[in-house]
Amino acid sequence: MKNLEELTAVASGREPADIVFHGARVLNVFTQRFENRDIAVTGRYIAATGKPGTYTGKKERDLSGKWVTPGFIDGHVHIESSMVLPGEFARTVVQHGTTTVIADSHEIANVLGPDAVRFMIHQSETAAADIYFMIPSCVPATNFEHTGGSITAADIAGLLKIPRVIGLGEMMNYPGIINNDPATIEKIRTTLKISGEGANIDGHIPLVTGKDLQAYRACSIKTDHESHTIQEVAEKISAGMWVLIRQGSSARDLELIIPELIKTDLPFDKICFCTDDKNIADIILEGHIDSNIRNAIRLGMKPELAYTAASLHTAECYKLPDTGAVCAGYKADFVILDDPEAVTVSAVYKSGEPADTGTPQVVELPQTNIGTEAEDLLYRACHSIKLDSVYPELFEQRKDRREEKYAIAIRPGSLNTEKYFLKAGEREHGLSDGTFCRLAVIERHKNTGFHAVSLLKGYGLSNGAIATSIGHDSHNIICAGITPRDMTVAVQRIKDMQGGICIVRDGTVTADLPLPVAGLMSNRSAEEVKKSHDALLPAARQLGIYAEIEPFVTLSFLALTVIPELRLTDQGLFDVVNWKFID
């Protein structure tokens, strides 16, 4: 809560500020100008800004030659995709100027259900950045694979009452909205009933246009981060939606959208930035929202506008109080820059104090579930791999099934796949020369025994095996390999680590990355995770995977039954186009 008397006393000049920053060029996001201003900060808030020399403080700092902008906001991110816990994620991104995050815990919700949101909130209580949460809306994404949990309208009603839960996450089930699926519509209705008609509801509508877009927007869904063309952006803005331009580890839409957006006469006040999915190695290497800003400027966007999209626009979109501007009455969240065009971050202030970027937020894994709710949830998250013994016969295809006649064909540079019809004798020959490899998906949440095996074409694997517990969206274990022996070793290692990524060659583990928290995140520091992650790629390349294929992201999406054309789940080979299993 603001101390209004203190703030007005400082702003009117009756009292000195706690600290005054002098000499910087400060971005006014309302006038779209950098202006010479003093910044007077008292407590957690900015009391006032004024011309140089206007204010005095108990402490003063000279920022001559520097630029100041509001703290950056990530409008949509799955923290789990960073592979570190929320505290360590925040410590890392705040170094890059991100002071606020809108998180959708969709990935871990497929493991823990509604408790995933509570778990992530507990883990972010002392985070260096403000982390707000959107409730995952589509858990499970479809009914064609087994998950560890589900989220219903009743669950949403309960979660919306928790502090820092600010709305409903991306509604990926747009056919359910458009066709009035009762359970899907009820999730929207529940959110509007509890949070009001202006509730935060995120969208997910790639290539949805015309009447379908209008039907989707009619359900009060107000954002989308899946636009790949300027035509999509234009139609969504005209429908009153906010467009979040994404720059993550795999999906990089800035290059496609920004140059075309600049050529149009579209207003920019509905444009925000997000990362969606970005692993910690990429964040450390190239940045977070600062990377979005840097690339947008490189592509021709005015710096003032890029910084505003990364702050005020996102705060207004999600109705974040007193956030997104360096202005009287706003949170003292701001970034000090050496060069505004290169986005070189010199220092970051969070709530009036230097951001905490020091000690890594390493979390000790519990040995028992006896304790607080936070300790119990962490214990459950760290025991999410439930499998009986792993043996080579799991990875043999059944000879009596029609699905053996097909292979999943990868398209380089795309998450889409193609249906490949096998010719007589091609399977055996292709496995020996690297044309094909085996692909297996094994249910890992409830030890049901469900598993399926197919062939994969275009991956390039010619020996060894790769296994991962990151398998969108249900996060069952996915393994690609040549021999059942190597695949057995890889999956057994995943079981022993309670999740992660493992690479095997000639029966020996050559690299791995333990992700024991829900099989998605590490309890270790960002730097340690990056070191292990960096060792994975060269080990994967030694297995023959094609240079144009990103091994781990590609593998992790091969079970997602909402992306055409052919997918493999623990229940079998699924034809997305015809919306049925091949059997």
Side-chain angles (χ1 to χ4, degrees), residues 492-502 512-516:
Q492 182 63 47
R493 180 64 175 150
I494 297 294
K495 177 185 174 184
D496 293 343
M497 295 189 299
Q498 275 298 303
I501 303 170
C502 176
D512 62 25
L513 171 58
L515 300 172

Side-chain angles (χ1 to χ4, degrees), residues 188-502:
I188 302 289
R189 182 179 288 112
T190 297
T191 303
L192 295 174
K193 181 178 179 180
I194 293 174
S195 300
E197 291 300 322
N200 292 318
I201 305 176
D202 275 338
H204 173 113
I205 42 170
L207 303 177
V208 174
T209 63
K211 292 180 178 178
D212 286 346
L213 175 62
Q214 293 297 310
Y216 191 79
R217 180 67 184 94
C219 284
S220 299
I221 300 170
K222 69 180 194 177
T223 76
D224 178 69
H225 59 274
E226 292 287 344
S227 294
H228 303 292
T229 68
I230 191 62
Q231 290 78 17
E232 288 183 88
V233 171
E235 187 174 1
K236 288 164 188 173
I237 288 176
S238 70
M241 299 183 77
W242 298 78
V243 173
L244 280 59
I245 304 179
R246 172 175 55 189
Q247 189 83 345
S249 285
S250 55
R252 296 171 178 262
D253 301 323
L254 276 167
E255 303 278 346
L256 301 172
I257 293 174
I258 293 295
E260 298 302 317
L261 184 62
I262 292 169
K263 295 176 185 177
T264 73
D265 59 357
L266 288 170
F268 281 73
D269 57 357
K270 290 285 189 179
I271 298 296
C272 309
F273 290 137
C274 74
T275 59
D276 197 6
D277 297 290
K278 196 163 191 177
N279 67 58
I280 202 68
D282 287 342
I283 292 172
I284 292 173
L285 181 65
E286 63 184 43
H288 189 235
I289 294 300
D290 59 322
S291 177
N292 295 56
I293 300 168
R294 189 178 301 112
N295 281 287
I297 294 170
R298 174 180 60 81
L299 293 166
M301 196 172 184
K302 288 180 59 179
E304 295 86 347
L305 192 52
Y307 285 108
T308 302
S311 54
L312 180 68
H313 290 179
T314 318
E316 290 180 336
C317 173
Y318 289 98
K319 302 190 295 268
L320 303 180
D322 302 327
T323 302
V326 182
C327 180
Y330 279 70
K331 289 180 184 177
D333 296 353
F334 53 86
V335 183
I336 301 171
L337 300 160
D338 292 326
D339 183 340
E341 294 201 9
V343 199
T344 49
V345 176
S346 173
V348 181
Y349 275 75
K350 179 76 190 75
S351 299
E353 299 288 342
D356 182 8
T357 61
T359 306
Q361 302 295 301
V362 175
V363 175
E364 184 177 348
L365 301 183
Q367 302 302 311
T368 176
N369 62 346
I370 300 174
T372 64
E373 179 185 65
E375 290 168 333
D376 176 61
L377 289 171
L378 180 58
Y379 180 86
R380 286 178 52 202
C382 293
H383 293 80
S384 68
I385 306 290
K386 299 179 176 67
L387 280 180
D388 282 337
S389 58
V390 183
Y391 48 90
E393 287 74 18
L394 280 175
F395 307 101
E396 296 284 1
Q397 284 182 285
R398 286 172 52 181
K399 303 298 183 182
D400 61 338
R401 293 180 70 98
R402 184 182 172 207
E403 62 185 13
E404 195 190 29
K405 298 180 183 295
Y406 297 90
I408 299 173
I410 292 172
R411 294 174 56 185
S414 173
L415 293 178
N416 289 356
T417 64
E418 295 174 350
K419 185 191 300 180
Y420 183 84
F421 188 77
L422 292 162
K423 303 176 184 67
E426 191 176 13
R427 176 184 181 278
E428 289 71 21
H429 180 70
L431 278 173
S432 64
D433 68 7
T435 301
F436 302 112
C437 67
R438 300 170 195 263
L439 181 69
V441 176
I442 302 171
E443 192 278 326
R444 59 97 161 182
H445 301 288
K446 298 174 181 175
N447 197 26
T448 63
F450 276 85
H451 68 281
V453 183
S454 183
L455 290 183
L456 183 63
K457 183 179 185 293
Y459 195 50
L461 195 75
S462 57
N463 63 80
I466 299 179
T468 177
S469 53
I470 303 171
H472 301 286
D473 273 340
S474 292
H475 298 294
N476 289 309
I477 293 174
I478 302 178
C479 183
I482 297 298
T483 69
R485 171 177 173 257
D486 282 343
M487 296 173 78
T488 300
V489 173
V491 173
Q492 182 63 47
R493 180 64 175 150
I494 297 294
K495 177 185 174 184
D496 293 343
M497 295 189 299
Q498 275 298 303
I501 303 170
C502 176

